[in-house]
Amino acid sequence: MARGLRPHRHDVYIAVGGLLGGLVLIGVGLHTRTHHAPASVLDQDWAVAVPLLVMAGCELLRRTRPGPALLVGTAAVVADLPTRGSLATVVMFTDLVYAAVLYGPPAFARRLPWIAGLLTVIGTVVPLVVWRTPQALLLGVGVALVSLVPAATGWVVRNHRDTAVAERLRAERTALLADMDRTQAVVAERARVARELHDMIANHMSAIAIHSTAALSLDDPETSRQALTVIRENSVEGLAEMRRLIGILRDSGGEHAPAAAPTLDGLEALAEAARGNGLQVTLDARHGEVPTPVELAAYRIVQESLTNALKHAAPGRVTVALARRDGALEVAVTSPYGHRGAPRAPGSGAGLVGMRERAALLGGAFAAGPEGAVWTVRATLPLGDGEGDPT
């Protein structure tokens, strides 16, 4: 038998139990109706057993083919009416009605309680009109017990089952979305840490690389001493910055307050450090009060631009300009651009990516590239309400 038609083991138990129970009732002579007068072949036990056997066979299909099982079971219960009747046949029929609503197609399951209700009304009104006795109402009660009650019960159980399935699917979908959110949060945090580490360390490492190259290429003790002094200062500052970041990452319990984020008030110190590394820096900062996220993003963009100028710019003046315009903070850093030979220090391009990400997180714009004889970095950072995390 095909897998889709194979009876469920519980249906087999129901069918076998109903058949055996019906045979026991026939054996002991318990029936739902009395003998006919005069005696008829329908009073024989085999006449009661045939609908019982058919009904038990229908029970095997109550879950896999509920619609056809109910149709055949209806014919069997109708065939049982002229006989002395079996209670087991009627009970199994009510189970077929229940199973048809519970396991049947949705459209069929919705219609069946209405059909059972209509049959109950007909079974109540018609006998009452024809016989005009109160006892006629008992027929309607019997129809309701074998059709409407199991159909309504099946509908209630089906609604609860469908609700449970929907809630389970909703819970699984919520868990999936939560897992996706966690994954995205991890990726975003890794990108944030990478940007922060690059911006804090790259400037110091570039200065160390450049001055160490100068110390190795020149045979002047005084120049070498100055280069080594700059190398030591930048290495100490770089190690301090790295130690601070690692401390924040390891402080999972939040026992130590994070160090204060750099502000635009530190741009002069940043420019002075760049001058100490050999750049001719001119700073023009007219920014006023800006939200903290915008302030940090602008500081990091200027810091990275000066680092790139230190590594790649041709000799000449580097200008840094910040100004508020049309509800945004505009940052512009220009450096000489031309034939420069090999870079003074290696670069990976992560700095430009980080600056573009910082501007995008604030809903701003970023551009970097040559404009004639200068390399220009431009960022427009909307002031707004300061939403976003540029780190």
Side-chain angles (χ1 to χ4, degrees):
M1 184 179 292
R3 186 174 181 85
L5 296 177
R6 184 177 302 166
H8 193 278
R9 68 176 185 276
H10 292 163
D11 298 340
V12 175
Y13 299 155
I14 293 174
V16 172
L19 179 61
L20 294 178
L23 293 177
V24 169
L25 292 177
I26 294 174
V28 299
L30 293 178
H31 300 281
T32 57
R33 287 174 291 276
T34 59
H35 287 278
H36 294 81
S40 170
V41 294
L42 295 178
D43 290 332
Q44 302 296 321
D45 289 341
W46 64 264
V48 180
V50 170
L52 175 67
L53 182 62
V54 173
M55 194 69 73
C58 292
E59 287 281 38
L60 295 174
L61 303 177
R62 64 188 293 275
R63 198 181 307 254
T64 57
R65 292 292 185 271
L70 179 60
L71 292 177
V72 177
T74 302
V77 80
V78 171
D80 182 69
L81 292 177
T83 69
R84 286 188 293 164
S86 172
L87 181 61
T89 301
V90 176
V91 171
M92 284 192 288
F93 176 74
T94 61
D95 180 67
L96 290 179
V97 176
Y98 168 82
V101 177
L102 184 59
Y103 302 115
F108 180 71
R110 284 193 299 269
R111 294 191 188 102
L112 193 55
W114 292 98
I115 295 173
L118 180 61
L119 292 177
T120 300
V121 172
I122 294 175
T124 302
V125 174
V126 172
L128 185 62
V129 172
V130 173
W131 295 333
R132 299 182 182 278
T133 61
Q135 288 76 9
L137 296 174
L138 296 178
L139 184 58
V141 174
V143 174
L145 290 176
V146 300
S147 62
L148 180 59
V149 172
T153 303
W155 181 249
V156 171
V157 174
R158 182 176 183 131
N159 280 340
H160 282 290
R161 185 191 65 180
D162 293 345
T163 301
V165 171
E167 291 297 331
R168 186 180 71 250
L169 292 176
R170 187 178 296 108
E172 292 175 354
R173 185 162 53 248
T174 301
L176 178 60
L177 291 175
D179 186 63
M180 293 175 61
D181 289 341
R182 284 192 297 270
T183 302
Q184 293 175 356
V186 170
V187 173
E189 182 64 12
R190 290 177 63 181
R192 186 191 73 83
V193 172
R195 284 195 305 270
E196 190 69 12
L197 182 61
H198 177 275
D199 291 344
M200 288 193 304
I201 305 304
N203 183 56
H204 299 299
M205 294 298 104
S206 299
I208 290 173
I210 292 170
H211 286 281
S212 62
T213 301
L216 291 173
S217 61
L218 298 177
D219 198 21
D220 182 6
E222 182 62 27
T223 303
S224 298
R225 185 179 298 105
Q226 293 175 359
L228 290 174
T229 300
V230 174
I231 290 173
R232 183 184 184 283
E233 291 175 353
N234 280 277
S235 61
V236 171
E237 292 177 4
L239 287 173
E241 292 282 1
M242 184 178 294
R243 194 175 294 114
R244 181 182 71 85
L245 180 59
I246 293 175
I248 293 175
L249 294 177
R250 285 181 173 176
D251 186 20
S252 59
E255 297 176 359
H256 304 287
T263 64
L264 294 181
D265 293 335
L267 288 180
E268 185 58 45
L270 190 64
E272 188 62 33
R275 296 186 190 105
N277 290 328
L279 290 179
Q280 302 177 36
V281 180
T282 300
L283 176 63
D284 180 16
R286 292 175 291 176
H287 48 78
E289 294 293 329
V290 298
T292 300
V294 177
E295 190 172 25
L296 178 57
Y299 181 93
R300 293 302 190 194
I301 290 173
V302 172
Q303 182 184 44
E304 181 58 28
S305 299
L306 293 177
T307 300
N308 289 341
L310 181 64
K311 292 189 292 186
H312 304 289
R317 185 166 298 280
V318 177
T319 62
V320 178
L322 287 83
R324 297 169 67 110
R325 186 174 292 110
D326 299 330
L329 178 65
E330 295 187 356
V331 181
V333 182
T334 61
S335 56
Y337 178 79
H339 180 70
R340 309 175 305 279
R344 300 189 190 96
S348 62
L352 292 177
V353 173
M355 289 189 285
R356 183 173 287 107
E357 288 177 349
R358 290 182 185 278
L361 286 172
L362 292 172
F366 175 83
E371 295 181 1
V374 298
W375 178 275
T376 303
V377 174
R378 296 187 186 278
T380 302
L381 308 175
L383 298 177
D385 56 2
E387 290 183 356
D389 182 7
T391 61

